[in-house]
Amino acid sequence: PKQGRNEKEKYKNQEGGTTMSASTSRKNSVSNGGKNAGGPRKDIPVASVHSKIVVAVRLRPLNKTELTQSEEQVVHISSPNTLQLTTIPLTKPKDGKIQTDTKPAVTSPKGGTRSFSFDYVFNQRTKQSEMFETLGKPLIRSVLDGYNSTIFTYGMAKTGKTHTTLGTEDDPGLIFRCIDFLFNILKTNEGFNARFSVFQVVNESIRDLLTNSTTPLDLREDPINGVKVAGLSEHEIASREQAFDYLSDALSKRARSSKSER
């Protein structure tokens, strides 16, 4: 669907702590059997069946600036779930200044290679569709089975978080693909309600991005529903186009925030 996606390119480079919530519920009962979730759940990662958290790492290619400066890649994939970081030892010449003799210029006291294991490791050539098939689609099906599900992206600035979550108009990211897949299922499974919320956390202040109010919201613990953002607006949505429009509206408000406010 093209409606709403034309806003993604405009905001794809914006940074900030924004959370989108798209919840679904059965009108009369909660489905736990998977029949209303688009068929057998064969594509759920093995790790997610046995644990509540799946951790994945996506490597991005060197950017133009790094290539111009002849930077070298120091992180390599040694197996489908293992990364290796290559470092070199620190040297202290007579003038006391710490220097390194050769690249890569990632240093450690003794140098060498360190390995880190994750549930999934995606290389620089991984497509957005592959990220969705592995990480996004199983979570949408879990939501329709009655589970709370979250995709949380974490990393330094310019590491590719926004690209992975929003993507571009021609190559959408996880958020748009998840919404698209959700409504592909819902259109053949009557009896679900879908509601949409977006909020931003700025200096520990929570702001609803789907209203014009600037009043900060509070976290409250509900004995039945757990921790909730009190007063957060929820908007019923009947189509992916509505969801894309709400998301575009929220991103436009987020984009107008100054960097000093984030």
Side-chain angles (χ1 to χ4, degrees):
K2 295 183 179 179
Q3 185 173 352
R5 281 189 179 166
N6 58 336
E7 298 293 324
K8 294 199 306 302
E9 186 71 25
K10 185 185 299 182
Y11 306 115
K12 69 176 183 177
N13 292 321
Q14 298 294 333
E15 296 291 337
T18 305
T19 299
M20 181 195 72
S21 171
S23 60
T24 61
S25 62
R26 287 288 273 185
K27 290 181 179 178
N28 299 316
S29 62
V30 176
S31 168
N32 290 314
K35 294 182 180 179
N36 295 310
R41 299 167 61 185
K42 296 179 181 180
D43 57 346
I44 294 181
V46 174
S48 69
V49 175
H50 302 290
S51 65
K52 295 182 179 180
I53 298 176
V54 172
V55 181
V57 175
R58 185 183 195 182
L59 299 186
R60 69 157 175 80
L62 297 178
N63 58 38
K64 292 181 180 180
T65 300
E66 293 163 341
L67 292 173
T68 301
Q69 296 175 349
S70 300
E71 299 288 351
E72 295 183 10
Q73 184 176 323
V74 297
V75 178
H76 302 275
I77 299 175
S78 57
S79 76
N81 65 339
T82 305
L83 288 179
Q84 284 190 337
L85 172 65
T86 303
T87 66
I88 60 175
L90 296 171
T91 58
K92 293 185 178 181
K94 295 182 180 180
D95 59 8
K97 294 181 180 180
I98 298 177
Q99 297 179 345
T100 56
D101 298 325
T102 60
K103 292 183 177 182
V106 175
T107 59
S108 63
K110 296 182 179 180
T113 300
R114 298 185 63 185
S115 296
F116 302 89
S117 296
F118 305 92
D119 293 300
Y120 295 99
V121 175
F122 299 98
N123 63 35
Q124 299 92 328
R125 297 178 298 279
T126 301
K127 298 179 179 179
Q128 299 279 59
S129 58
E130 295 177 55
M131 299 292 296
F132 167 71
E133 289 290 331
T134 304
L135 302 176
K137 183 183 286 187
L139 287 189
I140 294 299
R141 288 181 167 166
S142 293
V143 167
L144 295 176
D145 279 348
Y147 294 94
N148 291 324
S149 299
T150 300
I151 296 178
F152 179 77
T153 56
Y154 178 83
M156 296 175 60
K158 306 301 181 182
T159 53
K161 301 184 299 298
T162 302
H163 174 72
T164 296
T165 53
L166 293 181
T168 65
E169 184 174 358
D170 295 329
D171 194 17
L174 281 172
I175 291 177
F176 289 88
R177 291 176 186 269
C178 284
I179 292 174
D180 193 43
F181 180 65
L182 173 64
F183 280 97
N184 276 338
I185 294 177
L186 294 186
K187 69 182 181 182
T188 59
N189 291 269
E190 296 182 358
F192 281 94
N193 286 328
R195 296 184 299 276
F196 199 88
S197 298
V198 184
F199 65 88
Q200 182 176 30
V201 181
V202 182
N203 295 329
E204 300 185 8
S205 178
I206 303 173
R207 177 192 172 201
D208 190 336
L209 293 185
L210 293 182
T211 68
N212 294 321
S213 174
T214 57
T215 303
L217 305 178
D218 296 321
L219 284 177
R220 302 279 176 81
E221 187 168 1
D222 186 286
I224 298 177
N225 298 316
V227 178
K228 303 283 288 186
V229 179
L232 181 66
S233 65
E234 291 189 343
H235 305 262
E236 285 206 11
I237 49 178
S239 67
R240 69 198 79 196
E241 288 79 15
Q242 275 187 296
F244 292 156
D245 286 341
Y246 275 126
L247 180 58
S248 296
D249 180 48
L251 289 175
S252 68
K253 293 175 181 177
R254 169 183 174 234
R256 285 197 293 266
S257 299
S258 65
K259 292 183 179 180
S260 61
E261 293 176 333
R262 293 179 187 161

